């Protein structure tokens, strides 16, 4: 695949990659789930540095980001109900 044909990684794809990698799923299976090449998945794992020591740090950052969104959404819903 040349540079013109590369598609950008979405946040959802990156989060899915991190979750699947943390679950011990092999690169080939992750590639199939994400409809990407094994090489693309391999490169993203290297770029995110989740193949080694920093894997937990990246996963925790994604988890905190999702948790913050969930808290903000819940707070917003609570406020809507409280005002009505």
């Amino acid at each position: 695949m040349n540079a013109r044909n590369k598609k950008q990684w979405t946040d959802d794809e990156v989060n899915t990659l991190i979750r699947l990698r943390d679950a011990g799923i092999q690169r080939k299976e992750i590639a199939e789930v994400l409809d990407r090449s094994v090489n693309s998945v391999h490169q993203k794992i290297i770029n995110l540095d989740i193949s080694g020591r920093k894997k937990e740090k990246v996963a925790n950052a994604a988890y905190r980001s999702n948790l913050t969104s969930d808290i903000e959404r819940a707070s917003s819903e609570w406020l809507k109900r409280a005002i009505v």
Side-chain angles (χ1 to χ4, degrees), residues 17-56:
L17 169 63
I18 291 169
R19 283 193 304 274
L20 293 174
R21 186 71 177 159
D22 285 345
I25 307 299
Q26 297 295 315
R27 292 176 183 150
K28 182 178 179 181
E29 294 168 324
I30 295 172
E32 290 172 5
V33 168
L34 296 175
D35 193 29
R36 290 188 171 269
S37 69
V38 175
N39 188 50
S40 176
V41 169
H42 175 75
Q43 283 302 129
K44 194 63 173 178
I45 289 169
I46 290 170
N47 291 342
L48 291 172
D49 197 14
I50 58 175
S51 60
R53 295 176 298 173
K54 293 186 182 177
K55 179 171 76 170
E56 184 177 326

